[in-house]
């Protein structure tokens, strides 16, 4: 049933985000840093420096936004894919690969309604620590190079903003369109992702089915979700880099600004080279693999069906 699908998708999203959010934060910071202003050299370096400068909970900056909106996002994505697969099937026959990809395309298109504002707000909170650390480093370097007679420079303090404050400011200055900045880039990432992920998962999962009418074991669903998720994540990583850059409202010292998808692509290619489009690719694979593996296991177990079945009994 649709309510069960929505609940399953929401539970899967909450569990997955809680487990992998620090890696997602590192991915955002690695993707946003540009040549000449590199604060982090790798995933581990980013997480270690984040803990040192911002504490353990610094790795979870922006998590509240994700935990709030990931439920409807994952629920829409998984339920929409099932909806399109159901309506594209003919007389219960096996879906062709093209129809599976079409169903994934529909799911990716539907989810951006929630994904775009969620990612927009999350990126501002995740990247704020990197920008603050960069400013402190630049101030320290300037102080060392200045003459003693010039006196000590004023310390750089970070003003922490919340998702609510960012939302209010965007709505006041740009209206609802402010929350949907980078919508085109989000579609460019999420639609191809779903086109790759859902057919690949379905076909990998079928390999573990001994009987077409019996579900594959849960570990097969988990592994299929991990493999399909990581493959799709790496495949669309260039689009994710572009989306992250476009949705960042604040820039570090001497970092480029972009007017659109083409301008962003051109500047990254010319100034940072083609390898820049795969910044954070392994981080994204590490985030997406368990996220979708967990999602498919929750779907397999059917937690929502159990909860919904218990409601009438409880009332009785």
């Amino acid at each position: 049933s649709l309510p069960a699908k929505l609940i399953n998708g929401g539970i899967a999203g909450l569990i997955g985000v809680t487990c992998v959010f620090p890696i997602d934060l590192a991915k955002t910071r690695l993707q946003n840093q540009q040549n000449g202003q590199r604060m982090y050299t790798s995933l581990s370096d980013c997480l270690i420096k984040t803990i040192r400068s911002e504490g353990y909970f610094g790795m979870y900056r922006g998590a509240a936004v994700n935990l709030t909106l990931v439920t409807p996002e994952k629920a829409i994505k998984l339920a929409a894919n099932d909806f399109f697969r159901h309506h594209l099937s003919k007389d219960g026959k096996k879906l062709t690969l093209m129809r599976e990809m079409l169903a994934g395309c529909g799911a990716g298109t539907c989810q951006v309604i929630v994904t775009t504002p969620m990612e927009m707000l999350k990126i501002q909170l995740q990247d704020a620590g990197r920008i603050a650390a960069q400013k402190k480093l630049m101030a320290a370097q300037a102080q060392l190079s200045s003459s003693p007679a010039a006196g000590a420079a004023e310390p750089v303090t970070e003003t922490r903003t919340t998702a609510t404050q960012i939302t209010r400011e965007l709505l006041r200055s740009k209206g609802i369109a402010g929350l949907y900045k980078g919508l085109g880039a989000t579609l460019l990432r999420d639609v191809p992702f779903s086109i790759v992920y859902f057919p690949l998962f379905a076909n990998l999962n079928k390999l573990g089915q001994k009987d077409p009418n019996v579900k594959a074991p849960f570990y097969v669903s988990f592994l299929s979700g991990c493999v399909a998720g990581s493959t799709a994540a790496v495949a669309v990583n260039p689009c994710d880099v572009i989306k992250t850059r476009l949705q960042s409202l604040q820039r570090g010292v001497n970092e480029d600004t972009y007017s659109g998808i083409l301008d962003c692509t051109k500047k990254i290619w010319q100034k940072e080279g083609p390898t820049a489009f795969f910044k954070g690719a392994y981080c994204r694979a590490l985030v997406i693999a368990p996220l979708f593996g967990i999602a498919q296991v929750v779907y397999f177990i059917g937690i929502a069906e159990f909860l919904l079945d218990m409601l009438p009994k409880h009332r009785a």
Side-chain angles (χ1 to χ4, degrees), residues 54 61 125 127-130 132-133 136 156-161:
E54 303 168 54
R61 292 183 70 170
L125 298 172
D127 204 37
R130 179 188 71 90
K136 288 178 183 177
V156 178
T157 56
E158 179 189 357
T159 304
R160 294 205 174 195
T161 56

Side-chain angles (χ1 to χ4, degrees), residues 6-151:
L6 296 175
I7 294 170
N8 277 333
I11 293 170
L14 289 172
I15 296 171
V17 167
T18 303
C19 294
V20 301
F21 192 84
I23 305 173
D24 186 63
L25 178 136
K27 180 215 66 136
T28 298
R29 294 188 177 187
L30 288 169
Q31 287 182 340
N32 259 339
Q33 65 180 5
Q34 300 177 23
N35 286 346
Q37 304 295 335
R38 293 170 62 86
M39 292 292 301
Y40 315 108
T41 58
S42 64
L43 166 63
S44 58
D45 181 59
C46 180
L47 293 178
I48 290 168
K49 287 179 178 176
T50 299
I51 293 172
R52 284 177 180 171
S53 61
E54 303 168 54
Y56 174 79
F57 290 105
M59 295 190 299
Y60 283 89
R61 292 183 70 170
V65 175
N66 248 34
L67 290 171
T68 302
L69 296 179
V70 75
T71 298
E73 188 228 15
K74 285 291 176 287
I76 290 171
K77 187 184 189 83
L78 295 171
N81 180 67
D82 279 358
F83 173 82
F84 287 117
R85 287 178 70 90
H86 173 72
H87 285 279
L88 286 169
S89 61
K90 291 183 178 180
D91 303 323
K93 292 182 180 179
K94 180 182 177 182
L95 280 173
T96 63
L97 179 61
M98 188 57 65
R99 286 178 178 270
E100 287 182 331
M101 293 171 71
L102 190 59
C105 177
T109 304
C110 290
Q111 78 168 84
V112 298
I113 298 169
V114 178
T115 303
T116 305
M118 179 184 77
E119 295 262 319
M120 175 74 178
L121 296 172
K122 181 193 71 171
I123 285 170
Q124 313 317 314
L125 298 172
Q126 285 183 328
D127 204 37
R130 179 188 71 90
I131 294 172
Q134 189 186 89
K135 288 179 179 178
K136 288 178 183 177
L137 180 62
M138 296 290 286
Q141 290 174 347
Q143 187 175 355
L144 288 172
S145 61
S146 63
S147 61

Side-chain angles (χ1 to χ4, degrees), residues 220-280:
V220 172
S221 294
F222 176 77
L223 291 174
S224 299
C226 288
V227 172
S230 57
T231 302
V234 174
V236 302
N237 197 76
C239 301
D240 188 57
V241 172
I242 294 168
K243 182 199 74 68
T244 300
R245 297 279 182 97
L246 288 175
Q247 288 189 320
S248 298
L249 299 176
Q250 294 186 347
R251 304 287 175 189
V253 181
N254 301 324
E255 290 184 345
D256 287 326
T257 56
Y258 311 102
S259 59
I261 294 173
L262 292 177
D263 180 56
C264 183
T265 305
K266 182 180 177 181
K267 286 180 178 177
I268 293 174
W269 183 278
Q270 290 177 342
K271 297 185 178 182
E272 302 173 59
T275 56
F277 290 104
F278 286 93
K279 282 184 176 181

